[in-house]
Amino acid sequence: MKKLDILSAPYVEEMIEVTSNLYRLGWDERNGGNVSYLLDEKEVEPFLDLNDVQRKIPMIFDASGLKGRYFIVTGSGKYFKNVQKAPSENMGIIRIAEDGKTLDLLWGLENDAVPTSELPSHFMSHLSRLSVNPKNRIIMHNHASHLLAMTFTHELDERAFTRTLWQMCTECLVVFPEGISIIPWLVPGTNEIGIATAEKMKETRLVLWPQHGVYGAGETMDEAFGLIETAEKAAQVFTYVKAQGPILQTLTDENLWKLAHAFGITPHPGYLEDEK
Ligand code: 2HA
Ligand code: ZN
């Protein structure tokens, strides 16, 4: 059967849209940021011959837990700025081979490009998220400016950091009731940072990389993007608030509990003072 044009696949369109938005927001300068999107075989099959492997790409770590799974991923060293005008050079569709250590390239990553250098963090985070939510499909990393800046001026305690973000906009607690996790500063692209990020991903969909950026996860592109966008907005408000001067009033824990009840969500245990 004749295959449909891959550029019309909804997930290709979503990747183009999100990378363009991330670039436009200034969170992904140069080759900053990476996105991976878990695809169902049924979503790929109408567009690509699944037996037509363009290239085999070896990996530095074992992703056996994901063998046979399909992803669309951004390319290593590629600029989000360029994804829209040259999708097949800047992204690729891959399948994890039987050995767990090789990728079958089915489309894209033209001119010998390879998937994002942060693939260990992405794959390990996918495994973590899937273990707590089988519907998770997106892992997204970017250099959201105000969150990044806050890792210089705010104490890097997960409870304190989460509380500050929750206090900056009423919606924050509702959007990420589980809070934000923080790993130590580590070298990007390594298995070590992958393991640290993935460990946190079992608890929270947001993980902060000090002096670097942020990771977000979600069932959909909108969820992952909206999550980072909301935390980043809170960080932006924090930046303005600090610049404007002393805080005269804020969201109290009593307010936050009222919100939690109104929206039927459970705040991370211990992050709010006990209810009176
Ligand atoms: O791919 O953002 O963390 C560029 C990065 C690495
Ligand atoms: Zn980065």
Side-chain angles (χ1 to χ4, degrees):
M1 216 173 75
K2 193 171 169 337
K3 298 289 178 187
L4 302 171
D5 178 7
I6 185 68
L7 293 180
S8 69
Y11 43 85
V12 172
E13 289 176 352
E14 283 179 86
M15 289 289 280
I16 291 173
E17 187 187 18
V18 84
T19 49
S20 302
N21 281 335
L22 289 163
Y23 174 68
R24 195 176 41 76
L25 285 161
W27 303 345
D28 291 292
E29 70 291 342
R30 200 173 184 274
N31 64 318
N34 22 77
V35 184
S36 60
Y37 187 164
L38 175 62
L39 305 173
D40 200 87
E41 189 171 86
K42 285 201 259 336
E43 294 175 292
V44 183
E45 204 270 329
F47 299 94
L48 299 175
D49 178 351
L50 304 181
N51 297 315
D52 186 12
V53 176
Q54 313 280 311
R55 192 162 25 112
K56 293 242 175 217
I57 303 173
M59 277 195 301
I60 55 162
F61 71 104
D62 188 359
S64 300
L66 292 167
K67 70 180 173 203
R69 310 293 294 259
Y70 295 78
F71 290 90
I72 182 164
V73 295
T74 50
S76 176
K78 300 300 182 186
Y79 294 22
F80 280 12
K81 173 174 84 64
N82 298 337
V83 175
Q84 182 158 32
K85 65 181 174 202
S88 59
E89 289 173 26
N90 294 290
M91 300 188 288
I93 294 177
I94 52 175
R95 176 178 58 210
I96 292 94
E98 269 304 301
D99 65 359
K101 292 199 143 190
T102 316
L103 300 171
D104 294 334
L105 176 66
L106 297 172
W107 171 80
L109 295 176
E110 283 172 359
N111 308 319
D112 276 334
V114 291
T116 167
S117 57
E118 300 293 359
L119 209 58
S121 290
H122 278 253
F123 280 174
M124 290 181 213
S125 292
H126 274 287
L127 282 166
S128 281
R129 285 312 305 165
L130 288 169
S131 74
V132 291
N133 176 10
K135 289 208 238 155
N136 194 84
R137 300 181 73 183
I138 310 286
I139 299 291
M140 184 183 293
H141 164 63
N142 62 53
H143 302 163
S145 314
H146 298 83
L147 279 171
L148 171 49
M150 266 182 81
T151 68
F152 292 81
T153 59
H154 196 285
E155 63 175 307
L156 295 177
D157 172 77
E158 292 172 343
R159 179 179 186 268
F161 206 104
T162 297
R163 286 177 55 84
T164 297
L165 295 180
W166 283 351
Q167 285 163 355
M168 290 303 117
C169 320
T170 294
E171 292 282 287
C172 281
L173 174 78
V174 180
V175 176
F176 50 99
E178 79 271 39
I180 186 166
S181 297
I182 308 174
I183 60 165
W185 184 89
L186 292 166
V187 177
T190 58
N191 283 352
E192 193 188 10
I193 203 167
I195 292 164
T197 307
E199 199 47 46
K200 298 291 189 183
M201 277 280 177
K202 289 181 191 154
E203 298 250 321
T204 67
R205 292 162 297 157
L206 281 169
V207 181
L208 201 55
W209 284 13
Q211 293 82 50
H212 184 144
V214 65
Y215 263 71
E219 296 179 8
T220 63
M221 197 66 89
D222 274 354
E223 184 194 343
F225 180 83
L227 189 60
I228 293 177
E229 194 182 25
T230 306
E232 167 61 12
K233 174 64 183 273
Q236 185 175 8
V237 173
F238 177 76
T239 308
Y240 293 150
V241 166
K242 288 268 275 191
Q244 284 186 12
I247 292 176
L248 301 184
Q249 54 277 320
T250 185
L251 281 172
T252 63
D253 284 24
E254 200 186 335
N255 296 149
L256 293 168
W257 275 120
K258 277 190 183 160
L259 267 175
H261 297 316
F263 286 88
I265 50 109
T266 309
H268 187 116
Y271 278 16
L272 295 180
E273 297 298 323
D274 285 346
E275 254 181 308
K276 290 199 196 73

